[in-house]
Structures are given as C-alpha cells and as structure tokens.
Amino acid sequence: MAVIGLGYVGMPLAKEAVAAGLRVVGVDVDPRKVDALNAGQSYIDDLTDADLDHMLANGFSATLDESVLARSNTIVICVPTPLDEDHRPDLSAVEGATQTVARNLGKGTLVVLESTTWPGTTDEVARPLLEQSGLTAGVDFHLAFSPERIDPGNPKFGLKNTPKVVGGYTPVCRDRATVFYKQFIEQVVPVSGTREAEMAKLLENTYRHVNIALVNEMAIFCDELGINLWESIEAAATKPFGFQKFLPGPGVGGHCIPVDPSYLSYTVRKLGYPFRFVELAQEINERMPSYVVARVQRLLNRHKKAVNGARVVMLGVTYKPDIADERETPALPVARALLELGAELSFADPYVKEWSVDGTPVPREEDLATAVVNADVTLLLQQHAAFDLAMVEAKARLVLDTRGVLTEGERVERL
C-alpha cells in the first residue's frame, strides 16, 4: 500500500499498517520529510524514532517518486486541507495528490481519501480527476472516503483503537475499504456513501466547536457576574447523563476545530443560506485571543502597570498540552496583540525551541522559575505537564490562567 502525505495523519496510518504486516511506502512532495524518515528521524509527536526504526526494519520507506503508486494495490491520500485567506476550503493539495494518483492508477486499485473536506468532494472532485486515467470508479478501481480521527498526544486512543468510519462510492467500494482497514483497526464503521462519511467528520468537529464557543462566551459574562464558571462546569459534569464537559480557553487551535466547521459552513452557503451556529461559534472563538489580551491589560492595570513596557512571559505556545504541534495555536494572535501594545514578550515551552510572530523572533526562557519571577505578568496558555505549576503559583508576580488549573488568589486570576 501507499500513503500520500507523511504528516500527523499519514504516518500513524503507515505505522499501524506496517505493524499488521503490510508493506508500506510513503509518498510526499517535501524532500526534508522524506530524508528525515528514511534516516529514522521522526517529526511526529505520536511516532518515536524507535517506532520509525521498527517500520524501516519491516520494509517501510519514504519517497518523492510517484511511480511507486503504480505498484500499490491500495493508495490512501492524507494531505492537508487548510483554509485560504478568505476562510474558504483550499483543496489544492487534495487535487494535486489525486492527479498524481490518476497518472499512476492501475485496475483493481483501492483509492481512499482521508483528508477532511466538504461533503461531495470524493465524488465531485476526486472521482473525475481519477477517471482522467481512463478507468471508471466502481468498475475498474475502488474509491472510498474514510475521515481521519487523529488526536495528537492522546495516550488512550490512537489510530488502532479509534473506530474508523468508511463510505464507498459503491457498496463494493465500501466493502473493499472495510476489509482493508480491518487489517489494522479494531472497529470499522461502514456508512452508505462517501458523503455520509465526509459529513460524519464535520459533524464531530462542529459539535466540539459550538460547545467550546458556548463555554467561552459564558466565561466572558461569568467573569463580569462574579461567577466561578470553572466550578460550575465541574458541578454540572457530575450529572451522569445529558451533559458533556467542555472548558473555556484562549481560543481554538489544531488541525480540526478552527478549520473543519468552515468546510461545513461553506457547503451550506452553497445552498443559499448561512450556517448560523457555525458562523457564530467561529466569531466567539476567534474573539477569545483579544479577550485574553484585554484581561492581561486589566490585571496589570489593577496593579498600576501598563502593558506598554511590561514583561510578559507566555507559558505554552502549542495548541494543546504535551505536544509540539503549533498549528492554528491561539498563542499567535495573543502574542501579536501584546506586541502591538508594546509588551516585552518572551515564552517558555519545552516542546518549542524557536518561535516567532510574523517573522519577529520571541525570546525563549530557559529557566521557568527565573522567567516567572522576573515577569510583570505570567500568561498560562497551555498546561504542559513539564511545567511546575505550584512554583508558578508561589513565585509569579501576577498570573492569568487561561486553563483553569491554578488556584485563584490575590496574584492569580482565571480566565
């Protein structure tokens, strides 16, 4: 089999397939990724160098050469699907990968798209490109969609034990894809078509997006009402049915929540009306970084300090704890606004060695204790396990805790 796109989605897939005894080749357009993988150097949080060594020893290789696709009986496309500057879906990577497959497509091959996208993409975008090969989907080759469900850094659920949704262009395509995934995934969930599989992924992340926006908006007005929302959330979470706990934060980040609901909103807008839930949630969640900055201003102001010239240390600049992934991190707009206000900014993060904002390098703090003692305000954006939070509480002059993990007091405020 071949995996196109050797990132956070493609490499865990390749790892499990190799472990199941499949012979796997990875294809990418980035020579740095290919060279690193073939040298046994992993750049993926969920793939250690030891994991990669095991894969290489069992036949895995990475290449820039698309001709290997012609010798693959299964091809899985795992390329990025970001948004463009106007927040519209950017399918250029999917289109490029699909055209590459079409140039090398043989009869009987199974082609699966895993990249998150709007419902209809597999049938309306991928299929016509693949059929430029002269082969017909559902007749000469099999076509399916199976959304990735990767959660980087999750110690409990990985690719193997997370149920895999599969939809085929035809029932036979679906069955062929189901058999393929059952070789290395514990539970496969077939659905009636590719659109249902595409929608399932967007529904999952829109659900999270809307509920995160709900608690983020509540955090803003609960602060003004003098209500400890964190305590209220924990109290509500004791209900054993009908409630799922979501927590506020400085904004949403990662490869799913900031992006995927916009794909669904795009689809609905093509019908001629807005998807108001998604667009309102987007507005609220995108507002959170500026709200965090306003809270920093207020905290400093209460202690007769201005943001201009204040030393601000940001703890954690990745989008989630205990990983190195910075995609769509809310730390970026927070830092951008603080710099515009004249703050002297630095950051501490065990997973990020260098960090910049719009090309401007931000100094990295090597010693956390020294950093929080010297800072006018410590801004906790991500609760990495490596951070000594008790020390931060004890030594920091002022702290704004956006994750609700510190004890509120005279010097510590929660979002």
Side-chain angles (χ1 to χ4, degrees):
M1 65 169 284
V3 177
I4 303 179
L6 304 180
Y8 282 86
V9 176
M11 286 310 298
L13 178 72
K15 172 188 169 184
E16 294 299 340
V18 169
L22 278 66
R23 189 167 183 84
V24 182
V25 61
V27 180
D28 206 284
V29 295
D30 187 342
R32 293 171 300 177
K33 288 184 177 180
V34 169
D35 290 345
L37 292 173
N38 287 330
Q41 299 167 357
S42 175
Y43 45 81
I44 305 296
D45 283 302
D46 291 338
L47 186 75
T48 66
D49 287 352
D51 291 332
L52 187 51
D53 287 342
H54 181 268
M55 292 173 65
L56 293 167
N58 285 274
F60 174 78
S61 63
T63 183
L64 301 168
D65 181 8
E66 66 179 62
S67 68
V68 299
L69 301 175
R71 302 188 293 274
S72 303
N73 56 13
T74 300
I75 301 170
V76 185
I77 299 171
C78 304
V79 296
T81 48
L83 300 175
D84 64 18
E85 292 180 356
D86 297 319
H87 281 262
R88 294 175 303 186
D90 179 359
L91 295 184
S92 57
V94 168
E95 292 168 348
T98 306
Q99 289 166 340
T100 300
V101 174
R103 290 193 295 269
N104 299 277
L105 187 60
K107 281 193 174 183
T109 303
L110 168 64
V111 181
V112 184
L113 178 62
E114 287 208 2
S115 307
T116 303
T117 185
W118 46 268
T121 299
T122 305
D123 183 29
E124 298 170 19
V125 177
R127 182 177 60 82
L129 291 174
L130 292 168
E131 290 183 341
Q132 289 177 3
S133 64
L135 303 178
T136 301
V139 178
D140 301 310
F141 69 94
H142 303 284
L143 177 62
F145 181 83
S146 181
E148 59 88 2
R149 281 173 159 174
I150 297 296
D151 186 18
N154 189 323
K156 184 177 181 182
F157 292 106
L159 187 135
K160 185 175 183 178
N161 66 344
T162 299
K164 198 85 170 79
V165 174
V166 174
Y169 175 62
T170 67
V172 175
C173 293
R174 176 198 63 208
D175 294 344
R176 169 73 185 274
T178 298
V179 169
F180 164 68
Y181 281 114
K182 278 187 174 179
Q183 296 176 91
F184 52 92
I185 293 178
E186 294 174 2
Q187 181 184 356
V188 178
V189 183
V191 295
S192 60
T194 55
R195 284 174 171 80
E196 285 73 21
E198 290 161 336
M199 181 60 81
K201 170 66 173 181
L202 296 182
L203 177 59
E204 293 168 17
N205 287 330
T206 299
Y207 170 81
R208 292 169 61 201
H209 185 58
V210 168
N211 280 283
I212 291 169
L214 171 65
V215 292
N216 276 338
E217 187 166 40
M218 293 184 76
I220 294 171
F221 68 70
C222 279
D223 173 62
E224 296 185 24
L225 292 172
I227 297 170
N228 186 333
L229 177 62
W230 302 93
E231 187 177 345
S232 297
I233 291 171
E234 294 301 329
T238 62
K239 186 178 182 181
F241 54 89
F243 182 83
Q244 183 176 357
K245 182 171 77 172
F246 289 85
L247 298 173
V252 292
H255 62 303
C256 289
I257 302 300
V259 176
D260 295 359
S262 293
Y263 274 67
L264 187 50
S265 177
Y266 168 80
T267 303
V268 175
R269 277 197 170 275
K270 290 196 297 183
L271 301 175
Y273 48 85
F275 189 179
R276 287 176 290 177
F277 259 117
V278 164
E279 292 173 14
L280 180 58
Q282 194 89 23
E283 178 185 329
I284 292 168
N285 286 333
E286 287 181 353
R287 174 189 174 189
M288 291 309 292
S290 61
Y291 175 68
V292 169
V293 173
R295 289 289 300 273
V296 171
Q297 286 181 293
R298 192 181 76 184
L299 182 58
L300 285 167
N301 197 50
R302 284 177 177 168
H303 292 79
K304 298 180 169 45
K305 295 181 182 293
V307 176
N308 192 354
R311 294 184 296 272
V312 180
V313 60
M314 300 171 61
L315 305 191
V317 296
T318 60
Y319 90 88
K320 65 182 295 187
D322 303 324
I323 65 169
D325 197 340
E326 301 171 43
R327 287 176 294 175
E328 305 294 333
T329 174
L332 185 59
V334 169
R336 182 181 292 125
L338 288 170
L339 288 172
E340 288 175 355
L341 291 170
E344 294 180 10
L345 206 59
S346 63
F347 82 98
D349 195 308
Y351 298 93
V352 179
K353 302 306 177 188
E354 294 181 352
W355 194 58
S356 60
V357 177
D358 302 328
T360 301
V362 178
R364 184 176 189 270
E365 300 285 358
E366 300 295 337
D367 183 82
L368 184 62
T370 302
V372 300
V373 166
N374 291 335
D376 293 306
V377 62
T378 296
L379 178 55
L380 179 61
L381 293 174
Q382 203 54 264
Q383 70 276 34
H384 293 310
F387 288 151
D388 184 347
L389 298 181
M391 180 277 296
V392 172
E393 279 189 28
K395 294 189 175 183
R397 300 183 190 182
L398 296 173
V399 184
L400 178 62
D401 170 18
T402 69
R403 296 297 179 177
V405 293
L406 302 180
T407 304
E408 280 197 291
E410 184 179 340
R411 293 176 295 108
V412 178
E413 282 191 10
R414 285 178 173 178
L415 191 63

